[in-house]
Amino acid sequence: MDVTSDPSAPWIVAGLGNPGPEYAMNRHNVGFMVADLLAERIGGRFKRAGKAQAQVVEGRIGPPGPLNRRVILVKPMSFMNLSGGPVNALKDFYKVPVASIVAVHDELDIDYGTLRLKLGGGDNGHNGLKSMTKVMGADYHRVRFGIGRPPGRMPVADFVLRDFGATERKELDYLVDRAADAVECLVIEGLERAQGTYNS
């Protein structure tokens, strides 16, 4: 059965990032940025989720009727390389199948601002995905937000933990908005439609 066919079944949308104001505008935190915008759209505020090391917003997206979907927006508060534990705990608590989980994350091997949506696959060295795959397998959806490669010989770790540059920031709000649209399309209309619309 297509995981999008049961409107009563919740989805988990996990924006990946690092907690704390010093990381807020890092390239590695674009998943948090998208999650924050989605929370704003549904009129919710992130709150600590019980024993899970995460902040959560529950709400609904989509028009009234059969396309309306229940979503749990998640920001793991465990730091990137331990993202899997909080997401897995919430998966079990809400009884969400792995295929109804979306990870929103930065992607080095895609040009800045380009989106790629897919189901399953490798982690491409991304520590957040590596952690999620380790605890629950790889069969979750990904919304991959391109940040490009580091310039020159800059180490990858330094690049992803730096803020977006001034030129990048001029487009960032628009690109985060588009990524949030892509998440909504994926959850409401399914992967194929979302890929056709947002993969570029």
Side-chain angles (χ1 to χ4, degrees), residues 26-200:
N26 286 183
R27 293 180 178 92
H28 223 19
N29 269 45
V30 74
F32 274 20
M33 297 175 198
V34 175
D36 284 337
L37 179 56
L38 288 166
E40 190 180 310
R41 288 182 179 184
I42 64 176
R45 295 184 67 177
F46 277 99
K47 297 177 181 175
R48 197 76 180 200
K51 294 180 181 178
Q53 204 172 357
Q55 291 185 353
V56 170
V57 173
E58 293 185 57
R60 303 192 75 89
I61 61 172
L67 292 180
N68 191 259
R69 302 278 181 249
R70 182 180 169 209
V71 292
I72 298 108
L73 305 175
V74 178
K75 294 196 298 186
M77 293 286 113
S78 55
F79 287 95
M80 183 67 85
N81 61 349
L82 298 173
S83 300
V87 176
N88 194 53
L90 292 164
K91 169 184 75 72
D92 293 344
F93 179 80
Y94 288 102
K95 298 179 172 58
V96 175
V98 174
S100 293
I101 294 174
V102 183
V104 186
H105 64 93
D106 57 304
E107 179 62 62
L108 284 161
D109 286 339
I110 302 175
D111 290 341
Y112 174 64
T114 299
L115 296 176
R116 292 276 192 279
L117 285 73
K118 69 174 187 173
L119 173 63
D123 57 56
N124 205 24
H126 192 286
N127 288 330
L129 299 184
K130 197 176 292 184
S131 176
M132 287 180 62
T133 297
K134 182 178 179 181
V135 295
M136 62 189 193
D139 295 330
Y140 52 90
H141 288 82
R142 298 102 189 275
V143 174
R144 305 156 73 202
F145 186 109
I147 60 170
R149 301 294 303 183
R153 297 185 178 181
M154 182 188 292
V156 165
D158 291 348
F159 180 68
V160 300
L161 292 175
R162 286 194 180 180
D163 289 359
F164 285 103
T167 302
E168 293 170 321
R169 284 199 298 271
K170 290 177 183 176
E171 292 186 281
L172 186 59
D173 286 349
Y174 164 75
L175 295 171
V176 167
D177 193 70
R178 188 167 184 269
D181 290 346
V183 172
E184 292 184 348
C185 184
L186 168 61
V187 171
I188 295 166
E189 300 187 68
L191 179 61
E192 190 173 334
R193 174 66 67 87
Q195 285 175 325
T197 305
Y198 293 99
N199 277 14
S200 51

